Amino acid sequence: MRARSLVRFVSAALVAMGLPLTMSVQSATAAPCADIEVVFARGTVEPLPPLGLTGTAFVETLRASAGGRSVGSYGVEYQASGDFSNPTAFARTVLDGISDAQRHVEFIATTCPGTRIVIGGYSQGAVVAGFATMDGVPPGVAPEYDQYIPPPLPPEIASHVAAVVLFAKPSDRFMTDIGAPPIHVSPL
């Protein structure tokens, strides 16, 4: 419920400031290198791709408080499926999101070494964002699935990540109940 309240508050603040909620979000390719790049994974079947409502509100709020620094954004490309009845297919979409987020972080860190990266996500996207930073196979993953887990970000890439922001992160119990390990954000 807190996440919904936060989204409502941020949305109301944007409207109060005269900013439309459908404001276009700057693409990472629109400018050569932003000072800050937000890599955001939307929640399960959340509307308004590529960032979703929560990601859009987060990026616009960050832009408004960035003190003149430029803020780029990238919506993680993954299905964000709501098909919880097929755990294997569901896990595959999350793994696709993790891989896409990591590829974009690596691209930005390599091509724009001065850019600080913020990885974020809402609900299922929080799972993607948290695991995108992992420093190895999370505890609790069955060994037969190791081959499907994307490798960790190399330390020289991970050092470009300034923050990880998780909205409505699923609880450890929920993750365990669906057969997934709890979300673990790398210390890097």
Side-chain angles (χ1 to χ4, degrees):
M1 192 63 170
R2 287 183 180 158
R4 287 184 185 164
S5 296
L6 176 63
V7 170
R8 287 185 189 126
F9 172 77
V10 170
S11 298
L14 290 173
V15 170
M17 292 187 311
L19 300 173
L21 291 177
T22 58
M23 182 180 265
S24 67
V25 178
Q26 179 177 335
S27 164
T29 58
C33 289
D35 296 316
I36 302 165
E37 176 80 0
V38 177
V39 178
F40 200 90
R42 71 191 189 288
T44 306
V45 298
E46 189 178 24
L48 297 175
L51 298 174
L53 179 61
T54 306
T56 300
F58 175 67
V59 169
E60 293 306 327
T61 301
L62 183 59
R63 270 197 190 117
S65 62
R69 291 175 287 182
S70 59
V71 178
S73 64
Y74 176 80
V76 174
E77 294 184 23
Y78 80 118
Q79 190 176 3
S81 171
D83 183 7
F84 296 103
S85 64
N86 185 342
T88 303
F90 179 75
R92 183 82 243 153
T93 68
V94 171
L95 291 171
D96 289 346
I98 294 167
S99 294
D100 186 67
Q102 288 180 327
R103 275 191 302 272
H104 191 72
V105 167
E106 190 162 351
F107 171 77
I108 293 298
T110 303
T111 59
C112 301
T115 298
R116 300 304 294 159
I117 301 168
V118 175
I119 301 175
Y122 169 67
S123 189
Q124 181 181 159
V127 176
V128 169
F131 286 150
T133 69
M134 65 189 161
D135 53 3
V137 176
V141 172
E144 63 267 21
Y145 297 115
D146 285 358
Q147 64 183 329
Y148 302 108
I149 307 295
L153 291 170
E156 65 274 10
I157 300 298
S159 66
H160 290 267
V161 177
V164 178
V165 181
L166 307 177
F167 292 96
K169 176 182 90 62
S171 70
D172 290 351
R173 178 169 180 180
F174 174 80
M175 296 296 288
T176 302
D177 286 351
I178 64 167
I183 299 166
H184 169 75
V185 175
S186 168
L188 287 176

